[in-house]
Amino acid sequence: MSDTAEIKASPMETHSALPAEETERLTREIIAGLKTVFDPEIPADIYELGLIYKVEIKDDRSVDVQMTLTTPNCPAAGELPTMVENAVASVPGVGVVNVKVVWEPAWTPERMSDEARLVLNMW
């Protein structure tokens, strides 16, 4: 079994063999790590841009991340997944990190948080 945190969705349900406190700590710190990754072309972090679709923390502490890019032609397509992998892997207690870029559902500006909208002046 594993614990899945749907980013920007309802509160996380814990179905993991890891203690709830540890899962919550890992989730908080993984999100904090994701917020350190910025698309080089956009002055907002990838988490607030809504580019992270799913983070799954498994019983063995490995982490699967599903993310997208603002466009398939994104100039940072080669480097952003590696930056995400490194940010998540830097969290104490995290095992192997697997990042998968997905294109469905397609990213739209509606996925951005209010914080990203403010930074980008997109109201």
Side-chain angles (χ1 to χ4, degrees), residues 54-65:
K54 181 177 174 182
V55 175
E56 183 176 7
I57 302 168
K58 298 185 176 182
D59 291 349
D60 65 356
R61 296 178 176 270
S62 64
V63 178
D64 290 342
V65 178

Side-chain angles (χ1 to χ4, degrees), residues 3 7 10 26 29-30 42-43 51 58 72 76 84 100 105 108-109:
D3 178 42
I7 304 302
S10 61
L26 288 171
E29 292 185 19
I30 288 169
I42 303 172
L51 297 180
K58 298 185 176 182
V84 168
K100 180 179 179 184
T108 63

Side-chain angles (χ1 to χ4, degrees), residues 30 34 37 46 51-56 58 62-69 76-89 94-102:
I30 288 169
L34 291 170
V37 179
I46 60 164
L51 297 180
I52 302 298
Y53 284 178
K54 181 177 174 182
V55 175
E56 183 176 7
K58 298 185 176 182
S62 64
V63 178
D64 290 342
V65 178
Q66 285 185 9
M67 67 174 292
T68 195
L69 303 170
E79 63 192 85
L80 275 177
T82 301
M83 293 166 68
V84 168
E85 180 181 342
N86 291 339
V88 175
V94 166
V96 175
V97 178
N98 298 300
V99 177
K100 180 179 179 184
V101 176
V102 297

